[in-house]
Amino acid sequence: MGVLSDPKQRQKIIKAVTKYNKLLCVILYLGGVFGFLALAFEPFHAGTYFSENALLPGLVENEFRLDSEARSYNEELHKEIKKSDKTLPKDWMFKQFQNLGLDTYYHNFSLHYPFGMPRDKAIPGQNIYSILRAKRASSTEAVVMSVPLRHPGVMPNEQTSGGIAVMLALAKHFRKQTYWAKDIVFVLTEFDEIGMQAWLDGYHQTKSDYIISEDLPGRSGPIQAAINLEIPGEAVTSYNIKLEGLNGQLPNLDLCNLVVRLCRKERAKVTLNKQVDSYERESWDSYKQSVTTMMYMMWNQASGTPTGNHGLFHRYHIEALTIQGTQEEKPYKTLGVEQTSRLVEGIFRSLNNLLERFHQSFFFYILPSTRGYISIGLYMPPFGAMIAACLIKISLFQAIALWISRYEEEEEDKETEDKQSDDESQKVTDAVSGIVSIIPVIAISMLMASLAYTGPKLLTNVSHPFRLRPEDSLMFGLLALFCASVAFPKMFNKKKPDHAVLHLDWKLLKCIALIVQSLTLFSIALMNISLAFFIGVAMVPVTTLIVPTTSRSLLLLLLVSPASLVFISSIIAAWLDQHNDISQLLYMTWGNMKHCIFMKLLDLYLFGNWTYTVMSFVIFPCWLLFWAIPNCNTDIDV
């Protein structure tokens, strides 16, 4: 502290940082990015382990012996599905649960699209759920097993009939056991996440403006955990674990470890985001595979969209994940509904051992493999180093140095003659003028952000008479708003007679923009590290280097604008879908952009996804502050 309190030493530090700021920025940025990616190397992160020993997965003995019963349910369900091409056999499923002696109910709900399509019409939906009451408790706690109802004509490649067969077989088996200390709730949801959100709203007695849920006729106690099954009717070759939830939330790491441990106990292949762990540890190939797995997870997390029904449980502090059955071209081993039943049985037997809610393990982590994890204590330092490159830029330290020097001069001027006092007053006036000069830029940036956030409803309402699809009206309307925002700095350069001129303090504007950007990225990282990381990688090197009146700054800023980031993410999504032809890639990119904007807004209104809010109301105005720096002249007319 003595170095910082000594004016001379403080001045030396400021001069050193000012002189070598570019080198420091490059070192911090590159060190942060490569340090973050290096965490995927196995020696740099920790191996997974159980913090919650009460789960006791190693002591679980499988007692499920109804293999023929599971296959029978699967075959009978396929026959019922073939009887009707338009409806799902809900009545048949309802009767199966009812015949087992469980408390079985229908749950009705309706969906009102936020964009008025179809206009003034509600889309009805219906869930089925059944409750197995625990014999050792009085409905004080519960765990959930859910399966989405998918019509084969709508999603032929993502069927869940195998999961329904597993659920029915386990319900029959569980009913005969006496060791249950928690109620088990079996839920079949229509329209995937929409049906699940409706059921959760009814269970927790919450209201939504667009998903209207009826009251549940039967309930249990607080839900501790949930397992969502996406198992096809055919045999699978591996189990893929989906973790990413709404707004990037993740389940407690112990729940993921539990599924992985029991999959290995059943000698079943388990993957994360369909990426297989490398068998060679501490090798270059192993590192590449770990980075790939980590990037796939971060890509899904950054979107803020849940990857399955499980993702909506997290907002209620319920740990949940999805087990997806996948098929490979050259399988090493096939797994039928009977193997899946034993796996799920082991999971629920372990969850039944819980004495309290999940709390001991990590909630903030990144998984490079099923056997290792990167905790928040490991990934935040390199992320912080990357963002710190913004704060070391010369504009900030020049502002700090100017403030310190002015403060010291004012202290000295108090003991001088009246003439020096007049000079000090003039300096203060100049400083106020500098602050006033950037207020219009900040005000217009916030105005454009407000229009981007509130404009979609207006755009879709205006598009109805023209019979435009909501995706098209949103896309073209937001592009028009972005073009208008890009042109806004030119309004300040218009000459008028008898005008008053203020000097744009671009260094002060950049200082404020860098601080806002840093605080924003750190705030996002506390919930969704992946979104903050990708935005930071793109924006930090550009925003730290921009200066007034350079064409290079304009081009780089356009490349990291919110519109460009959506375009780049759409290209990556099209490329990941194996669209390698240039014309097809561009066509799919355009479609992905429209779909991305529409779905993010739909998720915002239906589920509370704040990805669009962050991009439109936080990142967009912050970017406009930087955009004003190379576009505005040093003189501003007011």
Side-chain angles (χ1 to χ4, degrees):
M1 294 300 295
V3 175
L4 296 177
S5 60
D6 185 359
K8 294 183 179 180
Q9 294 295 331
R10 185 170 61 231
Q11 207 60 27
K12 290 181 179 179
I13 294 175
I14 293 175
K15 288 180 180 180
V17 173
T18 303
K19 182 178 180 180
Y20 301 106
N21 74 91
K22 290 185 178 180
L23 179 61
L24 288 173
C25 288
V26 171
I27 292 175
L28 283 173
Y29 174 77
L30 294 180
V33 173
F34 288 110
F36 195 99
L37 297 177
L39 293 176
F41 191 44
E42 191 157 343
F44 294 162
H45 60 255
T48 56
Y49 61 93
F50 280 100
S51 298
E52 184 56 78
N53 294 322
L55 287 168
L56 299 173
L59 300 182
V60 171
E61 294 184 6
N62 294 325
E63 298 178 356
F64 181 81
R65 298 294 182 267
L66 301 177
D67 294 355
S68 60
E69 197 76 23
R71 289 191 295 269
S72 177
Y73 276 127
N74 193 26
E75 293 171 0
E76 192 173 350
L77 179 58
H78 276 282
K79 292 178 182 179
E80 293 292 331
I81 291 175
K82 291 180 180 179
K83 290 181 181 179
S84 176
D85 296 332
K86 296 182 179 180
T87 59
L88 289 167
K90 296 180 183 177
D91 293 337
W92 178 85
M93 301 175 195
F94 184 90
K95 290 180 180 178
Q96 298 302 317
F97 282 110
Q98 204 171 44
N99 292 338
L100 295 175
L102 305 182
D103 298 340
T104 308
Y105 311 94
Y106 284 115
H107 172 236
N108 299 315
F109 64 93
S110 59
L111 171 65
H112 297 265
Y113 269 108
F115 304 117
M117 299 293 285
R119 300 196 69 181
D120 303 324
K121 290 184 180 180
I123 300 175
Q126 189 178 62
N127 300 324
I128 302 172
Y129 73 101
S130 184
I131 303 175
L132 172 63
R133 302 291 180 180
K135 297 182 180 181
R136 291 190 174 187
S138 56
S139 297
T140 55
E141 296 175 344
V143 288
V144 171
M145 182 190 305
S146 69
V147 176
L149 294 173
R150 295 174 180 172
H151 196 279
V154 178
M155 306 178 72
N157 299 325
E158 299 182 14
Q159 286 305 292
T160 59
S161 58
I164 299 173
V166 169
M167 177 182 286
L168 289 170
L170 286 175
K172 186 173 183 178
H173 171 69
F174 289 168
R175 184 178 175 274
K176 301 175 182 179
Q177 311 306 318
T178 60
Y179 46 67
W180 296 113
K182 299 175 176 60
D183 289 356
I184 301 177
V185 186
F186 305 94
V187 185
L188 299 169
T189 62
E190 192 171 15
F191 306 140
D192 284 51
E193 286 91 353
I194 294 175
M196 181 54 71
Q197 183 62 56
W199 189 83
L200 287 170
D201 285 342
Y203 196 89
H204 295 92
Q205 298 180 347
T206 56
K207 301 296 182 181
S208 172
D209 295 333
Y210 302 102
I211 302 177
I212 310 302
S213 174
E214 293 184 0
D215 293 336
L216 295 183
R219 295 178 71 255
S220 179
I223 301 172
Q224 288 192 328
I227 302 296
N228 183 56
L229 302 178
E230 295 182 0
I231 309 296
E234 300 79 15
V236 300
T237 58
S238 63
Y239 297 113
N240 182 52
I241 301 177
K242 295 181 179 181
L243 302 172
E244 300 81 13
L246 184 67
N247 296 325
Q249 287 184 273
L250 299 172
N252 188 279
L253 186 57
D254 272 342
L255 183 61
C256 177
N257 295 337
L258 173 65
V259 177
V260 172
R261 179 72 61 87
L262 291 175
C263 283
R264 291 173 179 167
K265 183 180 179 181
E266 292 293 325
R267 297 183 180 180
K269 187 177 180 181
V270 59
T271 62
L272 287 171
N273 297 294
K274 298 183 179 180
Q275 301 298 309
V276 184
D277 293 350
S278 175
Y279 293 105
E280 299 180 4
R281 301 189 178 188
E282 301 185 16
S283 64
W284 174 245
D285 292 336
S286 175
Y287 172 70
K288 289 192 297 183
Q289 185 61 42
S290 297
V291 169
T292 302
T293 303
M294 184 175 74
M295 287 295 106
Y296 269 103
M297 179 180 177
M298 294 181 65
W299 179 260
N300 291 331
Q301 186 187 26
S303 68
T305 302
T307 53
N309 282 0
H310 70 279
L312 300 175
F313 284 87
H314 299 154
R315 67 195 305 182
Y316 300 96
H317 191 33
I318 300 171
E319 310 313 315
L321 55 78
T322 291
I323 301 176
Q324 179 189 34
T326 57
Q327 298 173 333
E328 299 175 358
E329 295 181 358
K330 298 179 180 180
Y332 170 75
K333 179 182 179 182
T334 57
L335 306 164
V337 290
E338 55 273 12
Q339 287 89 351
T340 305
S341 299
R342 284 195 289 271
L343 168 64
V344 179
E345 179 203 11
I347 295 173
F348 277 80
R349 287 283 303 275
S350 297
L351 293 176
N352 188 58
N353 296 331
L354 274 179
L355 302 177
E356 53 190 342
R357 286 183 177 273
F358 285 97
H359 68 283
Q360 294 195 34
S361 191
F362 293 92
F363 292 91
F364 302 98
Y365 55 87
I366 302 173
L367 298 182
S369 66
T370 60
R371 60 175 178 257
Y373 74 99
I374 304 170
S375 69
I376 186 173
L378 291 177
Y379 65 65
M380 282 305 287
F383 176 80
M386 181 182 69
I387 304 304
C390 301
L391 304 178
I392 291 187
K393 189 54 191 164
I394 186 172
S395 58
L396 176 61
F397 279 90
Q398 277 189 341
I400 295 174
L402 180 62
W403 177 80
I404 293 174
S405 62
R406 282 180 177 173
Y407 177 79
E408 292 174 351
E409 288 175 2
E410 288 173 1
E411 291 294 328
E412 294 176 357
D413 288 344
K414 288 180 181 179
E415 300 175 358
T416 59
E417 299 178 354
D418 294 338
K419 184 178 179 180
Q420 291 175 330
S421 299
D422 294 337
D423 294 339
E424 179 186 341
S425 300
Q426 183 63 35
K427 288 183 180 180
V428 174
T429 303
D430 292 340
V432 173
S433 300
I435 294 174
V436 171
S437 69
I438 66 174
I439 290 179
V441 178
I442 298 175
I444 292 181
S445 298
M446 294 307 300
L447 174 63
M448 293 298 182
S450 300
L451 292 175
Y453 178 70
T454 60
K457 282 191 176 181
L458 176 62
L459 291 172
T460 52
N461 291 332
V462 172
S463 66
H464 290 322
F466 300 97
R467 296 184 178 181
L468 286 175
R469 295 187 303 173
E471 297 93 326
D472 296 325
S473 61
L474 289 171
M475 183 69 177
F476 294 123
L478 292 176
L479 280 177
L481 178 62
F482 176 74
C483 293
S485 302
V486 168
F488 95 90
K490 299 301 180 184
M491 295 187 299
F492 295 109
N493 298 328
K494 185 178 180 181
K495 298 294 182 181
K496 296 180 181 179
D498 300 328
H499 62 277
V501 178
L502 291 179
H503 294 280
L504 173 64
D505 193 344
W506 70 268
K507 293 181 180 179
L508 179 59
L509 178 61
K510 184 176 178 180
C511 174
I512 293 175
L514 287 172
I515 293 175
V516 171
Q517 176 182 264
S518 301
L519 292 176
T520 297
L521 292 178
F522 272 116
S523 300
I524 297 173
L526 295 177
M527 174 65 77
N528 192 335
I529 179 60
S530 302
L531 179 61
F533 177 77
F534 288 134
I535 294 176
V537 167
M539 293 190 66
V540 166
V542 176
T543 55
T544 54
L545 297 176
I546 60 167
V547 293
T549 63
T550 61
S551 57
R552 182 181 299 177
S553 296
L554 292 173
L555 178 61
L556 292 176
L557 279 171
L558 282 176
L559 289 177
V560 298
S561 65
S564 298
L565 294 179
V566 173
F567 178 74
I568 293 171
S569 63
S570 299
I571 289 180
I572 296 174
W575 179 73
L576 291 176
D577 289 337
Q578 307 300 322
H579 296 290
N580 297 325
D581 183 71
I582 297 298
S583 58
Q584 189 179 20
L585 183 66
L586 293 177
Y587 176 77
M588 289 301 300
T589 298
W590 176 255
N592 287 343
M593 288 184 67
K594 295 193 295 183
H595 182 73
C596 175
I597 295 173
F598 178 74
M599 291 306 298
K600 288 297 175 285
L601 281 164
L602 199 62
D603 288 346
L604 169 63
Y605 296 130
L606 297 182
F607 309 127
N609 185 343
W610 44 254
T611 303
Y612 182 82
T613 304
V614 168
M615 294 301 295
S616 63
F617 211 69
V618 181
I619 302 299
F620 183 43
C622 182
W623 177 82
L624 286 175
L625 295 180
F626 291 108
W627 178 252
I629 295 173
N631 277 281
C632 289
N633 293 332
T634 55
D635 291 335
I636 297 181
D637 299 327
V638 295

